[in-house]
Amino acid sequence: MKADFHLHSSFSADSDTPMRQMVEKGISLGLSVMCFTEHMDYDYKDEGMLFETDMPAYFRTFQELKEEYARNIELLFGIELGLQPYLKERCSALVDSWDFDFVIGSSHVVDGKDPYYPAFFQGRTEKEAYQAYFQSVIDNLNTFSCFDVYGHIDYVVRYGPNQNRFYSYAEYRDQLDEILRLLVEKNAGLELNTGGFSYGLGHPNPHEDILKRYRELGGEFITIGSDAHAPMRIAADFDRAEEILKKCGFRYYAVFRKRKPFFEKL
């Protein structure tokens, strides 16, 4: 697989890598397509972080590099939107204001807290915290239609006190099936995010059983992203991702241009 559809650079608050450096590493790895999906999480309050991309600066730099490296690689313009229901109008306005190739919808904040920080898990069991997170995804899916795929739908598991030791598709089947059915009904895609491997889960986000269930329910749109914030993680574990998708019943993965999916054979 030669297309990485989840990448961050220094335009995202949690990366300090210049976009040029990310592009040059992607070229050296033999990628044919890189889609940058910088963070836009409005009203992010944890630890005083600001996860709002400077869109004009991001677009200018992206366009310069897209033209400069046009003979070496295809660069695509994306965004990763942090979804919360009360932000519907603001997120939709952003998507309408820029000519994106690709939009990831993600749940990073639930009731004002990001699972990245231990405070999200305080005062409740791990299972209750996971259930709260999955309910937030359901609420977002019932609110938003301005995205192409939903990103890392079990992101919360990366940071749980026991991570995925007691986590399984079967344990959260009711909520996960509702999420997957809503995606299929919306004709929306699902992301296979290889970041789970870098967090020591031994699995992608989401877990293979969830990917398989999405396919069983009629889901067709799968994008593959490394969620790299630094060059060393670009296209990481893509060989494992390809085998996982084949075992789950997929024969193609999707790349998006101008918000339209194009299918590449695995």
Side-chain angles (χ1 to χ4, degrees):
M1 296 185 295
K2 301 293 186 182
D4 193 335
F5 260 68
H6 192 146
L7 294 165
H8 299 279
S9 73
S10 56
F11 288 104
S12 292
D14 51 359
S15 172
D16 58 7
T17 304
M19 187 179 287
R20 178 183 297 276
Q21 191 173 337
M22 296 291 282
V23 172
E24 291 180 349
K25 180 63 174 180
I27 292 170
S28 75
L29 291 170
L31 292 183
S32 59
V33 183
M34 296 175 74
C35 184
F36 284 90
T37 52
E38 307 293 1
H39 283 296
M40 185 63 84
D41 274 73
Y42 293 118
D43 285 358
Y44 190 95
K45 299 178 176 67
D46 271 323
E47 303 294 315
M49 295 285 285
L50 180 66
F51 274 93
E52 297 183 20
T53 296
D54 180 340
M55 289 302 302
Y58 168 32
F59 183 71
R60 282 196 304 272
T61 299
F62 171 83
Q63 284 296 112
E64 290 170 3
L65 295 175
K66 180 181 176 71
E67 293 175 11
E68 181 178 345
Y69 289 99
R71 294 184 179 182
N72 306 100
I73 195 165
E74 180 182 14
L75 299 182
L76 297 173
F77 183 56
I79 197 78
E80 183 180 10
L81 278 177
L83 304 180
Q84 299 182 74
Y86 74 96
L87 295 172
K88 179 180 179 180
E89 292 184 6
R90 199 171 179 187
C91 289
S92 297
L94 176 75
V95 172
D96 290 342
S97 298
W98 295 90
D99 189 20
F100 292 114
D101 288 295
F102 181 57
V103 178
I104 300 174
S106 291
S107 291
H108 293 131
V109 177
V110 181
D111 299 326
K113 297 184 184 299
D114 186 338
Y116 180 84
Y117 297 103
F120 177 82
F121 296 91
Q122 292 175 358
R124 52 186 166 188
T125 66
E126 187 174 66
K127 184 171 183 177
E128 288 171 340
Y130 288 6
Q131 288 173 327
Y133 181 84
F134 292 134
Q135 185 58 50
S136 80
V137 178
I138 292 168
D139 294 342
N140 286 330
L141 285 169
N142 282 319
T143 302
F144 290 93
S145 296
C146 62
F147 62 90
D148 302 310
V149 307
Y150 217 99
H152 46 50
I153 64 169
D154 54 6
Y155 162 88
V156 66
V157 178
R158 294 178 179 178
Y159 312 110
N162 295 288
Q163 291 190 309
N164 59 347
R165 183 179 175 191
F166 306 111
Y167 167 70
S168 67
Y169 160 70
E171 185 69 18
Y172 299 89
R173 181 191 302 270
D174 290 346
Q175 286 180 302
L176 290 168
D177 274 2
E178 184 170 358
I179 289 168
L180 298 177
R181 288 192 183 100
L182 285 167
L183 286 172
V184 172
E185 289 173 9
K186 286 177 168 286
N187 201 32
L190 183 64
E191 176 192 51
L192 189 161
N193 186 305
T194 62
F197 292 112
S198 70
Y199 281 88
L201 301 181
H203 302 276
N205 296 115
H207 189 280
E208 294 93 325
D209 291 345
I210 299 171
L211 295 166
K212 182 178 180 181
R213 183 62 174 152
Y214 173 68
R215 187 71 194 97
E216 289 173 350
L217 291 171
E220 297 185 64
F221 301 99
I222 290 282
T223 59
I224 296 88
S226 65
D227 208 348
H229 291 66
M232 68 181 66
R233 287 297 305 168
I234 295 173
D237 298 296
F238 271 29
D239 54 341
R240 300 169 80 174
E242 182 173 356
E243 290 305 311
I244 286 168
L245 288 179
K246 288 178 179 177
K247 288 179 180 178
C248 290
F250 293 93
R251 295 292 174 264
Y252 300 87
Y253 67 97
V255 298
F256 279 77
R257 299 178 180 91
K258 304 300 182 184
R259 308 286 311 281
K260 294 181 179 180
F262 298 84
F263 293 95
E264 300 286 342
K265 192 171 181 178
L266 288 166

